[in-house]
């Protein structure tokens, strides 16, 4: 996975560099996407590319042709990195580009910096998944526009680091008494056989995995409610999951010293995870 795409060229990672005046480097002024791929089949490709365009629009970067161009970039990266029969993810980062000096204000004529590389996906064995994971709770210190997939991730990085330091998979973020999402995942709880997840709002990222899970649940007559989740409800939940393109659907069985469902992964996780694994197979290959 050594070959990356940078501004129109394919090159080894070690040869790729950007200017110190790139606004991504100076201000975190950019956005990103992560698209999981299983043997040439990207999961939720259009949903990811649409969200990327929404993120770009939200921060006033114009790159309308990237969606079309991205497909040939993806194909070339798979070929150059020999990933035809591998599982990995595309990481796409687009920044506002290079300024002439470090000034907060920007002009609309900058050429965006576009980078695409391939990353490995985490792999959890069945044994690990069936034991479930630990999560911690952290105050949500992020800015307001969490629906933008911004590269400005300092509060997320610090929360995630705290989780890792205590052997947890995620930090669930609490805002004004409600569990909104996690540092790099969306949040679901199960109560009385109903799936509950916070509604889309500027306070959370509209996760592609979240969207697919809701669709699969509805298609399979599993009740889903999109509503806010009080922090206290977590301790009383029958199941808790954190979801994302790389980690997929991870069951949480321990939160801040409390056991969830007597530390057992619940039945709805098995059902939805099976549906999700089957859904991945139905995606179209890039060629
Ligand atoms: C804050 C946050 N929420 C949710 C998600 C999950 O989104 P997706 O399912 O599209 O990967 C992510 C993924 O990076 C994230 O960073």
């Amino acid at each position: 996975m050594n070959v990356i795409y940078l501004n129109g060229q394919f090159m080894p990672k070690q040869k790729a560099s950007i200017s110190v005046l790139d606004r991504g480097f100076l201000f975190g002024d950019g956005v990103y996407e992560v698209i999981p791929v299983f043997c040439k089949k990207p999961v939720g490709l259009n949903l990811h590319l649409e969200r990327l365009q929404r993120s770009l629009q939200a921060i006033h970067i114009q790159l309308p042709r990237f969606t079309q161009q991205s497909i040939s970039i993806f194909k070339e990266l798979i070929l150059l990195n020999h990933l035809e029969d591998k599982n990995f993810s595309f990481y796409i980062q687009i920044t506002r580009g290079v300024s002439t000096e470090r000034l907060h204000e920007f002009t609309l004529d900058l050429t965006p910096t576009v980078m695409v590389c391939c990353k490995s996906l985490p792999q959890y064995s069945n044994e690990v998944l069936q034991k479930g994971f630990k999560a911690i709770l952290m105050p949500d210190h992020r800015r307001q526009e969490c629906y933008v997939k911004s590269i400005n991730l300092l509060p997320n990085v610090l929360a995630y680091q705290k989780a890792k330091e205590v052997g947890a998979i995620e930090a669930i973020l609490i805002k004004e008494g409600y569990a909104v999402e996690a540092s790099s995942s969306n949040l679901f709880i199960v109560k009385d056989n109903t799936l509950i997840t916070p509604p889309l709002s500027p306070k959370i990222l509209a996760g592609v995995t979240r969207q697919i899970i809701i669709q699969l649940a509805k298609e399979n007559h599993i009740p889903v409610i999109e509503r806010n989740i009080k922090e206290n409800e977590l301790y009383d939940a029958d199941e808790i999951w954190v979801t994302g393109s790389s980690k997929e659907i991870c069951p949480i069985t321990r939160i801040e010293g409390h056991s969830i469902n007597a530390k057992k992964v619940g039945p709805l996780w098995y059902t939805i995870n099976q549906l999700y694994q089957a859904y991945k197979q139905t995606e179209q290959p890039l060629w």
Side-chain angles (χ1 to χ4, degrees):
M1 295 198 266
N2 199 38
V3 180
I4 74 157
Y5 169 92
L6 179 64
N7 295 333
Q9 289 183 311
F10 294 89
M11 60 188 84
K13 258 183 217 156
Q14 299 79 353
K15 292 239 166 94
S17 61
I18 57 156
S19 163
V20 291
L21 287 173
D22 190 282
R23 292 183 60 96
F25 174 68
L26 291 174
F27 296 108
D29 187 356
V31 297
Y32 75 107
E33 264 304 324
V34 179
I35 308 177
V37 184
F38 299 87
C39 300
K40 293 195 299 195
K41 293 178 181 173
V43 179
L45 178 63
N46 291 335
L47 298 175
H48 282 285
L49 292 175
E50 282 160 22
R51 184 173 64 189
L52 180 60
Q53 280 304 334
R54 285 202 302 278
S55 296
L56 287 168
Q57 250 170 24
I59 68 164
H60 314 293
I61 293 180
Q62 308 241 330
L63 210 57
R65 288 180 49 231
F66 180 74
T67 301
Q68 275 169 309
Q69 287 168 346
S70 64
I71 305 301
S72 49
I73 297 171
F74 294 157
K75 286 181 184 167
E76 197 63 22
L77 279 175
I78 289 180
L79 292 171
L80 291 170
N81 287 299
H82 312 292
L83 294 169
E84 290 90 334
D85 57 355
K86 298 281 190 302
N87 303 337
F88 65 96
S89 64
F90 286 122
Y91 175 84
I92 306 160
Q93 177 165 319
I94 300 177
T95 74
R96 196 176 304 282
V98 179
S99 315
T100 46
E101 56 182 315
R102 185 192 178 279
L103 292 172
H104 281 61
E105 74 263 31
F106 56 85
T107 52
L108 292 173
D109 57 355
L110 296 180
T111 305
T113 300
V114 180
M115 191 275 281
V116 187
C117 64
C118 302
K119 283 184 63 189
S120 56
L121 285 168
Q123 283 190 321
Y124 304 117
S125 64
N126 281 341
E127 198 188 345
V128 166
L129 283 169
Q130 287 168 17
K131 230 178 116 205
F133 297 89
K134 177 170 155 181
I136 60 166
L137 304 184
M138 289 283 290
D140 189 352
H141 288 312
R142 298 173 303 165
R143 64 200 157 69
Q144 295 299 313
E145 306 85 16
C146 299
Y147 72 98
V148 178
K149 204 162 165 60
S150 160
I151 58 172
N152 220 313
L153 286 171
L154 188 56
N156 308 57
V157 166
L158 295 177
Y160 191 76
Q161 178 66 14
K162 267 267 183 309
K164 287 288 139 175
E165 280 168 10
V166 297
I169 192 170
E170 257 295 17
I172 296 175
L173 303 176
I174 307 295
K175 199 179 192 85
E176 292 152 8
Y178 289 90
V180 288
E181 60 176 342
S183 71
S184 62
S185 334
N186 287 117
L187 174 71
F188 284 83
I189 66 168
V190 176
K191 190 70 190 167
D192 300 329
N193 297 314
T194 298
L195 217 48
I196 305 167
T197 192
L200 292 186
S201 80
K203 290 182 196 159
I204 67 167
L205 185 76
V208 169
T209 322
R210 173 190 180 281
Q211 186 171 338
I212 296 170
I213 291 170
I214 292 174
Q215 180 195 322
L216 291 173
K218 288 184 176 163
E219 283 168 7
N220 288 277
H221 313 292
I222 296 165
V224 190
I225 301 179
E226 294 181 58
R227 67 154 175 83
N228 293 323
I229 298 171
K230 287 204 181 106
E231 178 182 346
N232 295 346
E233 286 183 80
L234 293 176
Y235 302 116
D236 202 28
D238 298 332
E239 300 185 31
I240 300 179
W241 314 334
V242 290
T243 69
S245 295
S246 303
K247 66 173 67 69
E248 300 191 341
I249 311 168
C250 288
I252 303 297
T253 47
R254 288 149 287 153
I255 280 197
E256 298 281 337
H258 294 255
S259 301
I260 308 300
N261 193 38
K263 287 197 196 154
K264 288 208 179 65
V265 172
L268 215 47
W269 177 81
Y270 284 94
T271 307
I272 290 281
N273 189 49
Q274 212 166 32
L275 290 168
Y276 187 77
Q277 298 308 324
Y279 174 87
K280 278 160 51 178
Q281 302 305 322
T282 66
E283 290 284 35
Q284 289 301 309
L286 281 167
W287 74 91

